[in-house]
Amino acid sequence: DTGMQTNHPDLNVDPNLPGTSFTGAGANGNPETFWDNHGTCVASCTSAKINNSAGVVGIAPGCRVVSVKIGRADSGNGSFVNQPDWTVS
């Protein structure tokens, strides 16, 4: 995906697992442009916190998420090649 905003107040981001980017642009899995917001939206559907008055609640509010950026909204650059190995380890 396009990465997710790891400092978003409504997301249950795992603080022990830093995100990563397979786009070659760095950013530790965070969005790089204004248009890179799809991953944040998807992550909030999954793990948005409950009872924090910050927005919506996800379907699994106790689950933690890690940002793995494999694409960019402005170019589509990225690779699935190494992503499954990184995610599993």
Side-chain angles (χ1 to χ4, degrees):
D1 210 314
T2 58
M4 70 176 185
Q5 184 184 343
T6 57
N7 64 349
H8 194 287
D10 205 22
L11 293 180
N12 244 337
V13 177
D14 191 329
N16 299 311
L17 296 173
T20 193
S21 175
F22 290 96
T23 64
N28 291 331
N30 279 290
E32 298 165 44
T33 69
F34 171 77
W35 303 108
D36 285 347
N37 59 11
H38 183 259
T40 303
C41 290
V42 172
S44 68
C45 290
T46 306
S47 73
K49 298 174 185 173
I50 192 168
N51 295 328
N52 67 346
S53 302
V56 300
V57 62
I59 59 171
C63 115
R64 294 192 179 211
V65 291
V66 175
S67 184
V68 179
K69 184 178 180 76
I70 59 168
R72 291 176 53 168
D74 61 346
S75 68
N77 289 341
S79 172
F80 285 103
V81 176
N82 295 319
Q83 185 267 334
D85 291 335
W86 184 90
T87 306
V88 171
S89 23

